[in-house]
Amino acid sequence: MIVLSESLLDQGMPYRNPLDIPREHVHNTSTHLTFNKFWRRYGKFSRHLMKIKLKKYTKFLFVRDPFVRLISAFRSKFELENEDFYRRFAIPMLKLYSNHTNLPTSVSEAFGAGLKVSFSDFIQYLLDPRTEKMTPFNEHWRQVYRLCHPCQIDYDFIGKLETLDEDAAYLLQLLKVDRLLRFPPSYRNRTASSWEDNWFAKIPLAWRQQLYKLYEADFVLFGYPKPENLLKD
């Protein structure tokens, strides 16, 4: 999207290769026209413009196996040093589910002392009824049906991360921009479905069953098979 919009410049020229764009720019919301900025820019006309865009624009969505998505979110936000996620989420999790007190204020100090959120802590946080009473799920683990509203929005194309290379190539053709851009090859270290058994091995069966119920709509809506092997003794 950054390459196609030519919204970011490198030495006065737009980026041509997505892999050349620094990670911090990709995730910097101040650089892009986000939903909140759109709303502020157009004020009372926003709703009308949104209706036009939803009717006229090509609408697409990429989804992922819900349990694999959770593993990926955990790896990205809690296994790597992330100051924001440490302060907002890791500190409360460590206090609630690992009985830690007087935690370091910085993630580097915490990692140095071996204080990291476990996958079990993360699952407890997701299942804890108090969590969403405080604040809605973060977008990295909020159910996709709640995040992208596929029952309200008539998407033209829904791709899957499991078939990302083929689906992205097809989408670029559909948008008639395949001559301007080639989607980069899949990331080698991407979290894979085959990892599920290992990651969930130490998670109690009852928790796994509760977690499936929590994300069941995403499994059903997007055609992902029920992970029977994780839901039975």
Side-chain angles (χ1 to χ4, degrees), residues 30 41 55 64 66 77 85 101 112 116 122 136 142 192 221:
S30 65
R41 180 183 291 183
K55 193 173 182 180
R64 188 177 202 174
K77 303 305 175 192
F85 276 75
T101 53
K116 289 185 179 183
F122 179 53
R142 193 180 309 164
L221 276 171

Side-chain angles (χ1 to χ4, degrees), residues 25 27-28 35 46 49 57 62 66 68 78 99 116 121 133 138 146 171 185 193 199 221:
H25 291 332
H27 294 284
N28 183 355
F35 178 79
S46 297
L49 287 170
Y57 279 46
F62 275 85
V68 177
F78 301 111
N99 297 317
K116 289 185 179 183
D121 294 337
K133 284 179 182 173
N138 178 268
R146 292 173 58 200
L171 176 61
S193 302
W199 277 87
L221 276 171

Side-chain angles (χ1 to χ4, degrees), residues 83 86-87 90-91 94-95 100-116:
E83 202 67 58
Y86 172 71
R87 289 179 180 167
I91 288 177
L94 288 166
K95 285 180 177 177
H100 285 296
T101 53
N102 300 320
L103 289 158
T105 54
S106 79
V107 69
S108 57
E109 287 179 78
F111 274 40
L115 295 169
K116 289 185 179 183

Side-chain angles (χ1 to χ4, degrees), residues 173-215:
Q173 285 182 350
L174 183 72
L175 297 169
K176 297 183 172 63
V177 294
D178 51 310
R179 291 185 181 179
L180 302 175
L181 177 72
R182 185 170 174 271
F183 196 83
S186 293
Y187 184 42
R188 261 184 236 158
N189 196 31
R190 188 193 300 156
T191 307
S193 302
S194 57
W195 299 7
E196 279 184 331
D197 289 348
N198 289 336
W199 277 87
F200 283 96
K202 293 181 181 177
I203 304 300
L205 176 63
W207 293 8
R208 284 181 252 154
Q209 291 170 337
Q210 282 179 266
L211 194 68
Y212 176 74
K213 281 289 173 195
L214 194 60
Y215 288 88

Side-chain angles (χ1 to χ4, degrees), residues 36-123:
N36 285 336
K37 276 194 211 164
F38 176 85
W39 198 261
R40 285 199 303 270
R41 180 183 291 183
Y42 296 108
K44 63 182 181 180
F45 298 109
S46 297
R47 196 173 294 278
H48 175 67
L49 287 170
M50 281 163 58
K51 281 184 180 178
I52 293 171
K53 286 174 184 287
L54 287 171
K55 193 173 182 180
K56 301 284 187 182
Y57 279 46
T58 301
K59 298 165 292 297
F60 65 89
L61 167 66
F62 275 85
V63 296
R64 188 177 202 174
D65 178 290
F67 279 7
V68 177
R69 180 170 168 248
L70 291 179
I71 297 168
S72 177
F74 176 80
R75 290 178 69 212
S76 168
K77 303 305 175 192
F78 301 111
E79 285 200 331
L80 303 174
E81 290 191 12
N82 185 311
E83 202 67 58
D84 182 41
F85 276 75
Y86 172 71
R87 289 179 180 167
R88 287 168 59 201
F89 303 106
I91 288 177
M93 286 184 209
L94 288 166
K95 285 180 177 177
L96 279 169
Y97 313 118
S98 292
N99 297 317
H100 285 296
T101 53
N102 300 320
L103 289 158
T105 54
S106 79
V107 69
S108 57
E109 287 179 78
F111 274 40
L115 295 169
K116 289 185 179 183
V117 167
S118 69
F119 190 56
S120 175
D121 294 337
F122 179 53
I123 299 302

